[in-house]
Amino acid sequence: MTRSLSPRVEAVFWFLLTAVGYFLLASLSLYATKGEDNIAAVWPPSGYFLALLLLMPARARIAGFAGMASASLAANFLGGTPPWTCVAFTLSNGCEAALALWLLGRRETGDLSFMVPRSVANFCFAAFVSGVASASIAWLLTGNGADFFLSWLSTVLLGMLIVTPPIVMLARMVDANMFDNAPDGMKLEATAILTVAGLVSIVAFSQSQFPATFLPCIAVVAAAYRLGPFGAAAGMLIVAITASLLTGQGYGPIAAIEGEQKLRVFFLQFYLLALLFTTLPLAAMLIVRQRLAKRLEQSNRLLLQAEAAALVGHWRVDLVRWRIQWSDQAYRIHGLEPGSPVDVNYSVKQYVAEDAAQVRRILEQAVQSGEPFEFQGRIRRADGEIRHVKSHGSIEIDRSGRTVGIFGTVQDVTETVENARILEAARSAAERIANTDMLTGLPNRRHTLAFLEKALAGAREHGAPLAVAIFDIDHFKQINDAHGHATGDQVIQRVARRAKAALCDEDLVGRIGGEEFVCVLQRSSARSAEIIAERVRKAVETAAAAEDAIPDATISVGLAVFDGELDIEELLHRADQALYAAKREGRNRLRKAA
């Protein structure tokens, strides 16, 4: 509404809108029904000003408060209120609006919406707290009694609760062009409902011969049901204006109540509060119900589409009548025409013999425990084909706690099972390739060090003996230079074969690079590890003498027995140092680390 205005013009606009509207509403309220201490039964200016504060930009609120103060002072002074009381009333109403605005800003993350029950509750809370604060300030500044406090609280509270919602909602609907986009039939229906609410209110509060104060309640509830929160707020505002004006002029059943004017004012306020707290939350809950219904409808539609795309069927077993129901997709999964007669026993018998007993046992346990269940098995379709299916389900329990049914879904997962089998085979092959040295077929460096890491952890935790032997081929560079790399590869392969053959099944030998190998000797004492490592050395030496086609080769071995090392690097370093000692002392020998 003011987006295209300059800041100065915008401030003037909101000042005038606040001042003129507040003055007119205050003057009208002071003229209408009045209670003790010259306070109106309803104080609409409070709700009007709070609505403007919620709608105006933050930079214009100072101008808004200035307009409110000017209008309040003028209206109260012209209404015959003493100057100091005018100032006290104006200050109280200003603090009331500021506190309500602050509370709503703290409790609401975005714009206040009267379509959400939680926001409606926050609004009512803010209105009540700010009303109590306003009444307390006015009571302290004027020195009036407790009746004044209660009267002030009820009037400003009703003003905010009744006037603020319709103004805010109306302004937002206009800003969103909702009236331009609404169908003509909806506009006519809204006009008719609100008109009827006004006429019914006039009938109820213009005479006292027939007690008809319940009629406006019916009209406002109807407005809430058909038009939502705006209908409830607008209908409530119509009833409040009509009831206040006619009661103030001495008409209607409330004006006919015998007793002091104060009693009639409080009764009118109670009537309006009861009507308000009935219709506004009801309208918000109706909106929530409509949204939930639309969301449920959309969810059901998406669920059907998802079932069709995923080829998922559903089924239900009635445990009371011992009947089973299948969806069309469930029939197709089982190779049957939709609608074919099936019973509970038939559905279980379709599982192959190895799976039928397990399925029956899972269902029986689920019925006894009431817990959700899941099973997967193989069925023999009507055409004889074996298919893998997977079911998820839950147990239905009535209000008395009795198990009355089982609901579940069924999905053909044959392709998934087959793909998983292929994937597992590929994964196993890839893992073997990733962990195997391609030249020798032994574990590679990565797998060997991982194996040693686990063995070291076991030795630390359980105190099991552990030893590591590092060996490499003596003068391997000379073999390569003299005979070529192909022959060198044959030598490496022969060494690998002989070393592996010399070890026990629980031990491991791996190639960690070039002509270098590592033996992990598990559960071997220092003496046993030394014997095994020497056996490996002799096996390589013997093989070199026996195979004339391949050059002779020997190995040097460094052995380290686990002695509380914290990591494999320390243990390997000790074995490596022993290997260098074996080389220094002439090669083709075993040396043990100190």
Side-chain angles (χ1 to χ4, degrees):
M1 183 162 50
T2 61
R3 292 174 185 170
S4 60
L5 301 179
S6 66
R8 180 174 297 180
V9 175
E10 185 179 55
V12 173
F13 169 81
W14 286 108
F15 174 86
L16 294 175
L17 185 63
T18 303
V20 173
Y22 196 99
F23 178 81
L24 292 176
L25 289 173
S27 299
L28 180 63
S29 299
L30 292 173
Y31 171 77
T33 305
K34 297 182 180 181
E36 294 295 312
D37 302 306
N38 203 36
I39 297 177
V42 179
W43 189 245
S46 294
Y48 174 78
F49 183 44
L50 180 57
L52 292 187
L53 289 176
L54 292 172
L55 295 172
M56 70 176 62
R59 60 179 176 272
R61 285 173 181 163
I62 294 178
F65 275 98
M68 171 265 167
S70 303
S72 177
L73 290 171
N76 281 285
F77 184 76
L78 293 176
T81 305
W84 167 246
T85 305
C86 292
V87 173
F89 287 175
T90 300
L91 179 62
S92 301
N93 290 132
C95 294
E96 157 202 304
L99 179 58
L101 185 66
W102 180 79
L103 288 173
L104 290 174
R106 290 291 301 272
R107 299 175 72 89
E108 292 290 320
T109 56
D111 291 336
L112 177 66
S113 173
F114 293 98
M115 307 290 183
V116 181
R118 180 179 176 276
S119 296
V120 173
N122 287 337
F123 170 72
C124 293
F125 172 79
F128 177 78
V129 172
S130 60
V132 171
S134 172
S136 299
I137 294 173
W139 175 58
L140 292 174
L141 293 178
T142 59
N144 292 315
D147 288 345
F148 173 85
F149 175 87
L150 294 175
S151 180
W152 180 284
L153 172 61
S154 57
T155 56
V156 298
L157 179 61
L158 279 170
M160 288 185 284
L161 294 178
I162 293 175
V163 178
T164 300
I167 294 178
V168 171
M169 286 187 281
L170 180 63
R172 289 177 178 167
M173 286 190 292
V174 170
D175 189 54
N177 296 321
M178 293 183 63
F179 289 104
D180 296 337
N181 299 328
D184 292 338
M186 183 180 295
K187 295 178 184 177
L188 290 175
E189 181 184 10
T191 303
I193 290 175
L194 295 179
T195 301
V196 169
L199 294 176
V200 167
S201 300
I202 292 174
V203 171
F205 288 96
S206 62
Q207 52 80 37
S208 58
Q209 184 177 1
F210 301 101
T213 52
F214 64 92
L215 292 177
C217 301
I218 299 175
V220 175
V221 170
Y225 183 78
R226 294 298 300 168
L227 306 179
F230 176 73
M236 187 67 226
L237 181 61
I238 291 172
V239 173
I241 293 174
T242 305
S244 298
L245 289 175
L246 292 177
T247 301
Q249 299 303 314
Y251 298 103
I254 296 179
I257 295 176
E258 296 182 0
E260 299 178 355
Q261 176 72 3
K262 177 177 63 176
L263 178 64
R264 291 190 286 271
V265 170
F266 277 133
F267 188 87
L268 175 60
Q269 291 172 338
F270 174 78
Y271 173 83
L272 294 176
L273 279 174
L275 182 57
L276 178 71
F277 285 118
T278 300
T279 56
L280 199 57
L282 172 64
M285 287 187 288
L286 287 173
I287 288 294
V288 171
R289 190 191 70 171
Q290 293 174 1
R291 289 177 177 173
L292 290 176
K294 290 182 179 179
R295 190 178 301 172
L296 179 61
E297 180 183 357
Q298 182 181 16
S299 298
N300 288 336
R301 185 170 63 254
L302 294 176
L303 178 61
L304 292 176
Q305 294 175 352
E307 286 188 353
L311 302 179
V312 176
H314 67 268
W315 52 269
R316 182 183 182 277
V317 175
D318 186 339
L319 296 176
V320 178
R321 298 178 178 86
W322 198 243
R323 298 176 183 173
I324 189 170
Q325 295 175 331
W326 282 0
S327 67
D328 290 351
Q329 189 58 43
Y331 278 104
R332 296 187 184 99
I333 290 174
H334 287 78
L336 298 173
E337 286 294 325
S340 301
V342 294
D343 57 27
V344 179
N345 293 327
Y346 174 83
S347 64
V348 176
K349 287 179 180 178
Q350 277 205 294
Y351 285 88
V352 299
E354 295 84 357
D355 297 338
Q358 181 183 7
V359 169
R360 191 181 299 275
R361 184 173 64 255
I362 290 174
L363 290 175
E364 290 174 353
Q365 291 176 352
V367 171
Q368 293 175 1
S369 65
E371 297 294 327
F373 61 88
E374 171 185 334
F375 58 82
Q376 183 170 322
R378 294 159 294 168
I379 62 170
R380 187 180 302 276
R381 289 162 44 104
D383 56 8
E385 183 182 3
I386 299 295
R387 306 291 291 181
H388 293 264
V389 297
K390 188 174 185 179
S391 284
H392 297 265
S394 59
I395 305 301
E396 297 180 8
I397 301 176
D398 63 11
R399 294 182 178 179
S400 63
R402 183 181 59 165
T403 301
V404 295
I406 311 174
F407 178 82
T409 60
V410 59
Q411 182 179 17
D412 189 332
V413 293
T414 305
E415 293 185 5
T416 302
V417 171
E418 182 62 22
N419 291 338
R421 186 190 65 78
I422 296 173
L423 183 62
E424 177 60 24
R427 187 197 64 79
S428 298
E431 186 175 354
R432 286 195 300 272
I433 294 173
N435 292 328
T436 302
D437 176 62
M438 300 305 295
L439 178 62
T440 63
L442 296 179
N444 59 14
R445 180 183 183 87
R446 171 178 171 270
H447 182 58
T448 302
L449 296 182
F451 184 86
L452 177 57
E453 188 78 53
K454 292 182 180 178
L456 184 65
R460 283 199 304 264
E461 292 177 8
H462 308 295
L466 175 66
V468 172
I470 298 180
F471 66 87
D472 65 8
I473 302 173
D474 296 330
H475 303 297
F476 183 72
K477 184 176 184 305
Q478 296 178 11
I479 296 175
N480 267 339
D481 293 342
H483 302 280
H485 289 284
T487 301
D489 288 346
Q490 291 179 331
V491 172
I492 291 175
Q493 291 172 338
R494 182 183 64 189
V495 169
R497 288 194 303 271
R498 300 303 296 172
K500 183 177 181 181
L503 294 179
C504 302
D505 292 338
E506 63 184 13
D507 298 328
L508 176 140
V509 58
R511 183 186 178 203
I512 61 174
E515 73 278 14
E516 190 172 16
F517 298 80
V518 168
C519 292
V520 181
L521 309 177
Q522 300 189 95
R523 292 180 289 278
S524 297
S525 63
R527 180 57 183 159
S528 298
E530 193 170 354
I531 293 173
I532 295 172
E534 179 62 19
R535 188 168 66 218
V536 171
R537 187 195 67 78
K538 288 183 178 180
V540 174
E541 183 181 32
T542 303
E547 300 180 19
D548 297 334
I550 302 176
D552 294 343
T554 59
I555 61 174
S556 297
V557 185
L559 177 68
V561 179
F562 173 67
D563 190 24
E565 283 81 5
L566 297 178
D567 53 48
I568 62 174
E569 284 76 12
E570 293 184 29
L571 189 58
L572 289 172
H573 178 71
R574 289 178 55 223
D576 203 42
Q577 292 299 315
L579 172 62
Y580 283 124
K583 287 181 175 294
R584 286 195 303 269
E585 296 176 14
R587 293 183 169 84
N588 190 24
R589 66 193 65 224
L590 167 68
R591 287 294 177 264
K592 179 182 175 184

